[in-house]
Amino acid sequence: MIRRRYKQFKGRVSFFYNQLQNGNASIKITRTKMADSGIYRCDFPHLQPSQTFYIELVVDPVLKDRTGENIPGAAPEPCIRTLADTEDWFLLQCEAHGVPRPTLKWKDSDNNTLPAEKPHISERRGRSYVTVKVTVTKTDNYRCVATQKTLSHQVAAAIPVYIQAEK
Protein backbone atom coordinates (compact mmCIF):
# COMPACT_ATOMS: atom_id res chain seq x y z
CA MET A 1 0.00 0.00 0.00
CA ILE A 2 2.75 2.47 0.87
CA ARG A 3 4.65 1.74 -2.35
CA ARG A 4 1.53 2.21 -4.40
CA ARG A 5 1.00 5.51 -2.66
CA TYR A 6 4.48 6.66 -3.72
CA LYS A 7 3.84 5.60 -7.32
CA GLN A 8 0.77 7.79 -7.57
CA PHE A 9 2.98 10.86 -6.96
CA LYS A 10 5.81 9.92 -9.34
CA GLY A 11 6.97 13.01 -11.22
CA ARG A 12 4.60 15.32 -9.29
CA VAL A 13 6.40 15.88 -5.95
CA SER A 14 9.35 18.09 -5.12
CA PHE A 15 11.08 18.39 -1.75
CA PHE A 16 12.95 21.43 -0.42
CA TYR A 17 15.95 19.55 0.99
CA ASN A 18 18.07 22.71 1.39
CA GLN A 19 15.39 24.21 3.67
CA LEU A 20 15.49 21.41 6.26
CA GLN A 21 18.11 23.19 8.39
CA ASN A 22 15.61 26.08 8.69
CA GLY A 23 12.88 23.71 9.90
CA ASN A 24 11.03 23.71 6.57
CA ALA A 25 10.05 20.14 5.66
CA SER A 26 7.66 21.20 2.90
CA ILE A 27 6.86 19.26 -0.20
CA LYS A 28 5.11 20.51 -3.32
CA ILE A 29 2.62 18.34 -5.18
CA THR A 30 1.85 19.46 -8.73
CA ARG A 31 -1.02 18.46 -11.01
CA THR A 32 -3.10 17.45 -7.98
CA LYS A 33 -5.96 15.04 -8.47
CA MET A 34 -9.09 14.49 -6.40
CA ALA A 35 -7.64 11.05 -5.53
CA ASP A 36 -4.74 12.83 -3.77
CA SER A 37 -7.15 14.03 -1.05
CA GLY A 38 -6.56 12.37 2.30
CA ILE A 39 -4.70 12.50 5.59
CA TYR A 40 -0.92 12.30 5.35
CA ARG A 41 1.63 11.53 8.04
CA CYS A 42 5.09 13.06 8.34
CA ASP A 43 7.55 11.35 10.70
CA PHE A 44 10.63 13.03 12.16
CA PRO A 45 12.45 10.14 13.86
CA HIS A 46 15.69 12.11 14.43
CA LEU A 47 14.07 14.86 16.49
CA GLN A 48 14.39 14.51 20.24
CA PRO A 49 11.82 13.38 21.11
CA SER A 50 10.75 11.95 17.72
CA GLN A 51 7.60 13.58 16.35
CA THR A 52 4.84 12.71 13.95
CA PHE A 53 2.63 15.28 12.26
CA TYR A 54 -0.59 14.79 10.32
CA ILE A 55 -1.97 17.02 7.60
CA GLU A 56 -5.18 16.74 5.62
CA LEU A 57 -5.00 17.52 1.92
CA VAL A 58 -8.31 18.48 0.32
CA VAL A 59 -8.31 18.77 -3.45
CA ASP A 60 -11.43 20.53 -4.67
CA PRO A 61 -12.30 20.20 -8.33
CA VAL A 62 -11.77 23.18 -10.59
CA LEU A 63 -15.07 23.27 -12.40
CA LYS A 64 -14.73 24.43 -15.99
CA ASP A 65 -16.06 23.64 -19.44
CA ARG A 66 -14.19 20.50 -20.50
CA THR A 67 -16.20 19.63 -23.62
CA GLY A 68 -13.14 20.29 -25.79
CA GLU A 69 -11.15 17.70 -23.82
CA ASN A 70 -13.25 14.83 -25.25
CA ILE A 71 -13.98 13.34 -21.82
CA PRO A 72 -16.39 10.42 -22.27
CA GLY A 73 -19.76 11.26 -20.72
CA ALA A 74 -19.08 14.99 -20.29
CA ALA A 75 -22.31 16.93 -20.70
CA PRO A 76 -22.54 19.09 -23.82
CA GLU A 77 -24.02 22.59 -23.57
CA PRO A 78 -27.52 22.36 -22.07
CA CYS A 79 -30.56 22.88 -24.30
CA ILE A 80 -32.83 25.75 -23.19
CA ARG A 81 -36.32 26.45 -24.48
CA THR A 82 -39.28 28.60 -23.56
CA LEU A 83 -42.32 26.42 -22.81
CA ALA A 84 -44.82 29.20 -22.09
CA ASP A 85 -44.91 32.94 -21.57
CA THR A 86 -47.25 35.79 -20.72
CA GLU A 87 -46.57 39.48 -20.27
CA ASP A 88 -45.85 38.69 -16.56
CA TRP A 89 -43.74 35.51 -16.62
CA PHE A 90 -41.82 32.94 -18.68
CA LEU A 91 -41.63 29.18 -18.10
CA LEU A 92 -38.15 28.03 -19.10
CA GLN A 93 -36.88 24.47 -19.50
CA CYS A 94 -33.32 23.22 -19.49
CA GLU A 95 -32.17 19.74 -20.49
CA ALA A 96 -28.71 18.20 -20.27
CA HIS A 97 -27.35 14.69 -20.43
CA GLY A 98 -24.16 12.88 -19.48
CA VAL A 99 -22.49 10.13 -17.48
CA PRO A 100 -22.33 10.63 -14.56
CA ARG A 101 -25.69 12.40 -14.28
CA PRO A 102 -25.24 16.18 -14.37
CA THR A 103 -26.88 18.43 -11.81
CA LEU A 104 -28.70 21.44 -13.26
CA LYS A 105 -29.20 24.85 -11.69
CA TRP A 106 -30.87 27.94 -13.03
CA LYS A 107 -29.02 31.21 -12.30
CA ASP A 108 -29.78 34.86 -12.89
CA SER A 109 -27.28 37.47 -14.12
CA ASP A 110 -26.14 38.09 -10.51
CA ASN A 111 -25.27 34.36 -10.24
CA ASN A 112 -28.10 33.72 -7.76
CA THR A 113 -29.53 30.21 -7.89
CA LEU A 114 -33.23 30.31 -8.71
CA PRO A 115 -35.87 28.11 -7.07
CA ALA A 116 -36.74 25.63 -9.80
CA GLU A 117 -39.06 22.67 -10.07
CA LYS A 118 -37.85 19.23 -9.03
CA PRO A 119 -35.60 17.76 -11.76
CA HIS A 120 -37.07 15.13 -14.08
CA ILE A 121 -34.55 12.32 -14.68
CA SER A 122 -34.67 9.67 -17.38
CA GLU A 123 -32.23 7.12 -18.84
CA ARG A 124 -31.71 6.65 -22.57
CA ARG A 125 -28.98 4.73 -24.37
CA GLY A 126 -26.89 4.52 -21.20
CA ARG A 127 -27.04 8.26 -20.50
CA SER A 128 -28.84 10.20 -17.80
CA TYR A 129 -31.06 13.00 -19.07
CA VAL A 130 -32.03 15.74 -16.62
CA THR A 131 -34.73 18.33 -17.25
CA VAL A 132 -35.41 21.29 -14.93
CA LYS A 133 -38.08 23.98 -15.33
CA VAL A 134 -38.18 27.43 -13.77
CA THR A 135 -40.68 30.29 -13.88
CA VAL A 136 -39.14 33.77 -14.07
CA THR A 137 -40.94 37.05 -13.50
CA LYS A 138 -38.35 39.72 -14.29
CA THR A 139 -36.33 40.82 -17.27
CA ASP A 140 -32.83 39.34 -17.06
CA ASN A 141 -30.33 37.01 -18.70
CA TYR A 142 -30.77 33.52 -17.27
CA ARG A 143 -28.31 30.63 -17.37
CA CYS A 144 -28.76 26.93 -16.99
CA VAL A 145 -25.60 25.43 -15.49
CA ALA A 146 -24.83 21.70 -15.82
CA THR A 147 -22.23 20.35 -13.39
CA GLN A 148 -20.47 16.98 -13.17
CA LYS A 149 -18.18 17.28 -10.14
CA THR A 150 -16.46 13.92 -10.60
CA LEU A 151 -15.32 15.10 -14.05
CA SER A 152 -14.57 18.66 -12.81
CA HIS A 153 -16.86 19.69 -15.66
CA GLN A 154 -19.27 22.62 -15.78
CA VAL A 155 -20.98 24.01 -18.85
CA ALA A 156 -23.79 26.54 -19.25
CA ALA A 157 -26.25 27.95 -21.74
CA ALA A 158 -27.97 31.35 -21.51
CA ILE A 159 -31.27 32.88 -22.57
CA PRO A 160 -32.36 36.53 -22.41
CA VAL A 161 -35.89 37.15 -21.11
CA TYR A 162 -37.86 40.35 -21.51
CA ILE A 163 -40.96 40.74 -19.30
CA GLN A 164 -43.34 43.23 -20.95
CA ALA A 165 -45.38 44.02 -17.81
CA GLU A 166 -42.36 45.46 -15.96
CA LYS A 167 -42.35 49.20 -15.52
Side-chain angles (χ1 to χ4, degrees):
M1 179 72 173
I2 297 291
R3 277 205 175 139
R4 199 175 96 199
R5 196 81 167 150
Y6 288 136
K7 285 181 183 177
Q8 90 179 49
F9 292 108
K10 186 173 182 176
R12 300 190 300 127
V13 175
S14 55
F15 175 61
F16 303 101
Y17 186 79
N18 60 343
Q19 292 295 314
L20 275 178
Q21 71 265 13
N22 300 327
N24 181 353
S26 298
I27 63 169
K28 179 180 177 184
I29 304 171
T30 58
R31 299 182 314 277
T32 56
K33 304 172 185 175
M34 300 236 343
D36 295 337
S37 293
I39 297 175
Y40 292 86
R41 183 180 80 204
C42 185
D43 295 311
F44 292 91
H46 300 297
L47 290 178
Q48 292 302 320
S50 66
Q51 292 186 9
T52 300
F53 296 92
Y54 295 90
I55 187 164
E56 181 176 12
L57 174 63
V58 177
V59 181
D60 284 330
V62 175
L63 297 173
K64 67 178 187 174
D65 184 350
R66 298 181 186 279
T67 50
E69 297 177 31
N70 295 320
I71 298 171
E77 183 176 299
C79 177
I80 297 177
R81 60 180 68 108
T82 301
L83 297 181
D85 65 275
T86 70
E87 62 183 33
D88 298 312
W89 55 265
F90 273 62
L91 177 61
L92 305 175
Q93 175 181 286
C94 175
E95 182 177 82
H97 66 273
V99 177
R101 178 188 312 145
T103 58
L104 297 182
K105 289 187 179 177
W106 278 101
K107 299 206 174 234
D108 64 15
S109 61
D110 292 327
N111 208 34
N112 297 313
T113 300
L114 305 176
E117 293 181 12
K118 182 179 176 184
H120 176 265
I121 300 166
S122 62
E123 302 289 327
R124 292 179 277 193
R125 298 183 304 277
R127 291 187 179 148
S128 294
Y129 285 75
V130 182
T131 304
V132 177
K133 297 175 187 174
V134 68
T135 300
V136 296
T137 58
K138 69 174 192 166
T139 298
D140 204 348
N141 289 311
Y142 295 96
R143 291 181 305 125
C144 176
V145 181
T147 304
Q148 293 167 295
K149 283 189 177 180
T150 57
L151 301 179
S152 301
H153 176 58
Q154 189 172 73
V155 63
I159 186 170
V161 170
Y162 176 73
I163 303 293
Q164 296 176 12
E166 285 184 333
K167 295 178 181 166

